[in-house]
Amino acid sequence: MQKLIIKGKRELKGKISVSGSKNSTLPILAASILANEVCLKNIPLVKDIFTMVELLNFIGLKTKFNKKKNLVEIKNNEKNINTLAPYKLVKTMRAGVLVLGSLLTKYRVAKVSLPGGCAIGSRPVNLHLFALKKLGAKIKIKDGYIFAEAKKGLKGTIIRFPSISVGATENALLASINAKGRTILKNCAIEPEINDLIIFLKKLGASINLKGRTITISERKLKKTKIIHEVVFDRIELGTYMIAGALLAKNKMIINKINPKIVKTEIDLLKRTGVKIKKSKTSLTIKSSKNLKKINISTKPYPGFPTDLQAQFMVLMTQINGESKIREDIFENRFMHVPELRRMGAQIEIKNKTAIIRGPTKLTGAEVMATDLRASVSLVLAGLVAENRTIINRIYHLDRGYEFIEKKLKGCKAEIKRI
Ligand code: UD1
């Protein structure tokens, strides 16, 4: 099993380029079922994307990866289509459930494995199914599978989500782009990845209007021509490297291939701690501060502070003078990194949904274990700022979502290697 070994306390300097967004690529791959031919550019070469492409192959689409160019070509020649997403592919990558909306739209029937729980909580799909039922799908759950059917096609309607969900918004969008008449989705997630999916679906001929948290979809015939789309940058990867810079870029670190407007909340919060950030249209320059100021944050749907950056921000808080707090409002069990950070010397107390971090603490290297994607990257950040050597086990979690992480960090003079 692979491990990462980090020798900490090295100053970070140089340039890092951010990859395409995993969370944007996944729903767009699911949406590709609706097209005849697609070329997706700027896709990150990470495990979840490989799994989703494998799922498309299983369904019967023809895919061709060009890893050197970070692109994938997808063709649907309508031969041997399987309207099934099996357990073995959905269990390791929950986004597999997103093919449900596309399959229902195109083939009016789908059998998709229930994704089950994961380290950060129970992660149900009730909101996905709620929307599909409202659109007229007949849904049954049997033997761990969702059986969905809409023999006469789906019908436009008004759907108000009782709470905000990224995946449910995406599935509802995919299911409604060909629904009869007009669909109005209210209380939607409006993450930049949803916006990217909307851009892709519009290229495909869909009529979609986004205003506030309301998305209106009008029935349209979809195009048969080839769709070319470049995926948006990964704002969570950017946030992770911004925090690395906040911890260790004594002079400056430059992060490229981004749009600072998308991460306004993260930039504002880091500036409030005293970190220096300069923006250009497509890059950021970060410089750490000797006197980091304490801060309290809570995770919220976009444009709020993302839960996917909570663990990383907590590492920064261990270096801030005083008591900082993080309230986790999205997932029920997302403090799995805390015991590992404590083993490295962090002083963190958890009270219900809130973590209280007392700093600054000298972190020291230890052998630690990754538990989920974002928790593992928080251990990488902790290893970078800790004294001595940190060994991170179970880094397959990290490989689900971070492209070339050790190569990118090495490019900024970090001492990190994979064994
Ligand atoms: C997506 C992201 C993930 C991120 C999360 C929240 C992808 C592939 N993953 O996950 O990285 O952490 O958004 O920003 O884009 N919920 C229900 N019922 C449902 C669906 C969700 O109760 O049917 C709850 C969840 O348990 C959670 C909250 O809603 O507490 C938000 O989850 P959701 O936005 O759906 O997350 P995902 O789409 O799974």
Side-chain angles (χ1 to χ4, degrees):
M1 208 174 279
Q2 296 191 339
K3 300 172 184 209
L4 278 183
I5 300 188
I6 302 172
K7 271 197 192 150
K9 288 264 172 247
R10 302 291 182 266
E11 179 187 338
L12 293 183
K13 53 186 169 193
K15 285 184 187 168
I16 283 191
S17 291
V18 173
S19 301
S21 160
K22 162 182 89 70
N23 287 355
S24 191
T25 309
L26 290 169
I28 294 175
L29 283 171
S32 299
I33 293 173
L34 299 165
N36 277 17
E37 199 175 345
V38 173
C39 174
L40 269 189
K41 297 181 177 173
N42 198 32
I43 55 164
L45 303 177
V46 296
K47 184 76 182 22
D48 276 11
I49 301 301
F50 300 143
T51 311
M52 193 65 156
V53 169
E54 207 183 323
L55 177 55
L56 294 187
N57 289 334
F58 181 91
I59 288 172
L61 275 64
K62 299 277 169 268
T63 61
K64 213 164 103 192
F65 242 119
N66 185 333
K67 291 189 178 169
K68 273 196 185 139
K69 290 189 174 162
N70 284 72
L71 65 80
V72 64
E73 308 252 11
I74 304 156
K75 272 189 190 166
N76 185 350
N77 56 17
E78 303 296 345
K79 277 187 198 144
N80 304 323
I81 293 293
N82 234 327
T83 52
L84 166 69
Y87 176 66
K88 66 171 189 219
L89 291 175
V90 182
K91 73 171 182 204
T92 54
M93 186 228 17
R94 299 176 38 83
V97 80
L98 294 175
V99 300
L100 189 55
S102 297
L103 289 175
L104 262 182
T105 287
K106 187 142 185 190
Y107 302 106
R108 299 184 172 186
V109 61
K111 178 181 169 187
V112 174
S113 169
L114 277 167
C118 72
I120 62 174
S122 61
R123 304 193 75 171
V125 289
N126 58 313
L127 296 172
H128 300 232
L129 303 185
F130 158 82
L132 298 177
K133 278 184 196 160
K134 288 254 178 193
L135 288 162
K138 289 217 163 67
I139 310 260
K140 253 194 330 198
I141 307 281
K142 210 179 141 212
D143 307 328
Y145 276 84
I146 305 160
F147 290 79
E149 199 179 67
K151 276 190 183 148
K152 292 183 182 159
L154 296 161
K155 261 197 201 142
T157 183
I158 300 176
I159 301 169
R160 169 176 279 280
F161 289 105
S163 61
I164 296 172
S165 155
V166 174
T169 302
E170 290 165 344
N171 238 335
L173 250 172
L174 293 169
S176 48
I177 65 161
N178 246 347
K180 275 199 186 77
R182 198 165 67 156
T183 306
I184 302 176
L185 305 174
K186 296 186 174 181
N187 201 26
C188 291
I190 50 166
E191 267 59 5
E193 295 75 33
I194 298 220
N195 198 46
D196 207 19
L197 174 64
I198 292 177
I199 295 171
F200 175 84
L201 291 172
K202 280 184 171 172
K203 287 182 184 169
L204 194 57
S207 159
I208 304 172
N209 183 280
L210 168 68
K211 204 172 169 203
R213 289 201 177 272
T214 300
I215 304 177
T216 306
I217 305 109
S218 303
E219 184 184 355
R220 286 283 184 283
K221 222 178 166 165
L222 298 181
K223 288 181 194 161
K224 299 218 157 116
T225 46
K226 183 172 178 177
I227 313 298
I228 300 172
H229 183 76
E230 184 167 336
V231 172
V232 70
F233 75 94
D234 193 320
R235 68 193 162 100
I236 305 300
E237 191 195 6
L238 165 61
T240 304
Y241 293 133
M242 278 164 74
I243 294 169
L247 287 165
L248 289 151
K250 284 190 199 135
N251 289 301
K252 65 177 184 184
M253 185 173 139
I254 298 167
I255 312 179
N256 286 321
K257 286 183 78 180
I258 57 119
N259 172 0
K261 283 188 193 150
I262 289 180
V263 286
K264 193 178 170 308
T265 303
E266 293 85 325
I267 291 176
D268 288 350
L269 284 169
L270 281 173
K271 278 188 171 171
R272 274 172 51 200
T273 68
V275 174
K276 309 257 178 326
I277 301 178
K278 265 199 220 148
K279 298 181 268 185
S280 86
K281 262 191 176 166
T282 55
S283 73
L284 286 177
T285 305
I286 315 265
K287 187 172 182 275
S288 62
S289 154
K290 278 189 189 137
N291 280 315
L292 289 167
K293 291 189 267 303
K294 64 180 185 178
I295 190 170
N296 296 333
I297 56 182
S298 27
T299 62
K300 292 274 178 291
Y302 192 83
F305 179 78
T307 171
D308 285 353
L309 274 179
Q310 178 257 101
Q312 299 90 311
F313 219 95
M314 195 177 290
V315 176
L316 180 65
M317 287 169 164
T318 67
Q319 304 306 304
I320 296 182
N321 199 4
E323 201 176 271
S324 299
K325 289 183 188 158
I326 302 187
R327 187 181 152 91
E328 173 54 61
D329 265 333
I330 308 281
F331 288 109
E332 66 203 30
N333 188 21
R334 213 172 193 183
F335 287 135
M336 305 278 281
H337 43 287
V338 170
E340 297 302 276
L341 291 177
R342 279 193 192 131
R343 294 185 51 244
M344 295 177 74
Q347 285 184 28
I348 307 171
E349 189 188 338
I350 297 175
K351 279 192 184 158
N352 304 319
K353 289 178 165 188
T354 303
I356 303 155
I357 303 101
R358 293 188 185 91
T361 40
K362 251 193 195 150
L363 299 184
T364 46
E367 183 151 1
V368 289
M369 187 111 80
T371 47
D372 75 58
L373 174 57
R374 308 302 170 185
S376 10
V377 87
S378 78
L379 299 177
V380 173
L381 294 177
L384 289 174
V385 78
E387 272 168 8
N388 304 328
R389 197 171 71 149
T390 297
I391 301 172
I392 306 175
N393 292 294
R394 296 202 184 164
I395 53 166
Y396 53 86
H397 289 293
L398 202 61
D399 295 332
R400 280 189 42 221
Y402 283 88
E403 186 179 48
F404 308 136
I405 184 164
E406 63 266 34
K407 204 171 148 197
K408 290 188 184 189
L409 286 169
K410 261 191 202 160
C412 283
K413 312 282 180 239
E415 258 197 79
I416 176 169
K417 68 175 181 199
R418 183 184 288 253
I419 55 162

